[in-house]
Amino acid sequence: MKSVLITGGSRGIGASAALQCARRGMAVVLTYNERADAAQAVMQRIEAEGGHAAVLKLDVADSNGFIPFVGKLREILQERWQHGTLDGLVNNAGFGLFNPIETVTEEQFDGLFNVHLKGPFFLTQALLPLLADGASIVNLTSATTRVATAGVAPYAAFKGGLEVLTRYMAKEFGPRRIRVNAVSPGAIRTGLGGGLDEEFEALLAAQTALGRIGEADDVGQVIAGLLSADQGWVNAQSIEVSGGYQV
Ligand SMILES: NC(=O)c1ccc[n+]([C@@H]2O[C@H](COP(=O)([O-])OP(=O)(O)OC[C@H]3O[C@@H](n4cnc5c(N)ncnc54)[C@H](OP(=O)(O)O)[C@@H]3O)[C@@H](O)[C@H]2O)c1
């Protein structure tokens, strides 16, 4: 049985990826930041379907917590599933906020930077000794790196940085046969940034070739696929999952 760590697995895309990975036979450790209840509910749903899951708290903005977190993860993998290593990592945790460049504060800028670029960088670094040779890493970026969307400049810029980092990780981890890809969602119906109102959702749907916005499962199943052996030759790619947004 393969094991995977999904950050921000308590809700939205991460929760869907957790369920889809468990359905493909992987043991899933999902993390939450504030919503322990939501994380427990995902774990219970996986277990009710006969899958294997565990929950850990992790604040991706606090890199000082990463080494103790890896220690706890190592214990869980060993105790629950007798695993000495981790086969997959999904850097998914995130949040959004709308604010034009003119009024973005330094605090908002730093908060987005810590979660969307610094966190995935140093969490992946801390997990390297635990990751198995041949493991698969998926970094969640965003279609806002391709299509400029007013009000999300720092978020999109850091997601763009994560897209570049994805290729660098693939290059440096290649000798260990660790694959690294980015999944870049278009607009997906989740709680991100407080969710989308009806009017904005209709506008985004009209700009999408398939005529609707995405659901969390549209992305979760792509993430689970990239973690499986079926996609074993896909590496160093950024895969947009948007139904054809602004093509
Ligand atoms: N939804 C979209 O349209 C969309 C589009 C492009 C990219 N994305 C990206 O996809 C990823 C998932 O987004 P989503 O839409 O699924 O969001 P979501 O439904 O709001 O869920 C966010 C998840 O991230 C966790 N999280 C937030 N801040 C955290 C922190 N500081 N440390 C650790 N965990 C934290 C949350 O934990 P709690 O439950 O504990 O709060 C939750 O599990 C994000 O990276 C986002 O930027 C989303």
Side-chain angles (χ1 to χ4, degrees):
M1 186 169 49
K2 292 196 163 188
S3 56
V4 58
L5 173 71
I6 301 176
T7 68
S10 49
R11 294 184 287 117
I13 292 168
S16 168
L19 280 154
Q20 309 267 354
C21 286
R23 285 175 193 155
R24 285 166 171 77
M26 300 176 215
V28 179
V29 180
L30 57 107
T31 76
Y32 66 94
N33 185 35
E34 289 172 349
R35 296 282 307 275
D37 55 333
Q40 290 292 334
V42 176
M43 183 178 79
Q44 281 160 13
R45 189 161 161 205
I46 289 173
E47 289 178 341
E49 292 184 8
H52 299 268
V55 164
L56 275 176
K57 179 172 165 55
L58 173 70
D59 181 357
V60 174
D62 177 19
S63 54
N64 291 326
F66 292 170
I67 297 297
F69 170 81
V70 173
K72 279 187 221 152
L73 175 63
R74 193 185 287 278
E75 272 172 35
I76 284 191
L77 291 172
Q78 190 59 50
E79 280 167 18
R80 294 283 306 275
W81 303 298
Q82 295 74 53
H83 270 219
T85 54
L86 185 67
D87 303 296
L89 163 64
V90 184
N91 282 309
N92 165 79
F95 71 100
L97 59 88
F98 279 85
N99 202 356
I101 293 170
E102 203 175 4
T103 47
V104 168
T105 65
E106 225 175 296
E107 195 184 0
Q108 288 174 333
F109 184 98
D110 290 345
L112 288 161
F113 171 74
N114 288 339
V115 168
H116 292 286
L117 190 54
K118 184 179 174 185
F121 185 102
F122 285 105
L123 181 64
T124 306
Q125 182 191 69
L127 284 166
L128 274 175
L130 193 56
L131 279 165
D133 288 356
S136 173
I137 299 174
V138 177
N139 295 323
L140 266 290
T141 59
S142 166
T144 56
T145 60
R146 179 176 64 82
V147 180
T149 308
V152 298
Y155 169 88
F158 302 138
K159 290 294 200 189
L162 184 57
E163 208 171 285
V164 173
L165 180 60
T166 297
R167 290 197 296 279
Y168 274 80
M169 286 179 170
K171 183 99 177 170
E172 293 195 13
F173 305 163
R176 290 185 53 198
R177 292 178 294 103
I178 295 175
R179 295 183 297 117
V180 191
N181 292 289
V183 164
S184 175
I188 310 297
R189 197 195 313 272
T190 69
L192 190 83
L196 300 167
D197 65 33
E198 258 178 48
E199 201 183 329
F200 194 32
E201 190 176 310
L203 175 74
L204 292 167
Q207 293 172 334
T208 301
L210 292 181
R212 63 169 175 86
I213 66 157
E215 303 294 339
D217 285 349
D218 291 321
V219 186
Q221 60 200 10
V222 176
I223 296 170
L226 282 168
L227 294 169
S228 76
D230 286 356
Q231 311 284 335
W233 199 235
V234 181
N235 192 23
Q237 300 306 302
S238 174
I239 299 160
E240 188 174 301
V241 185
S242 70
Y245 174 59
Q246 291 211 12
V247 284

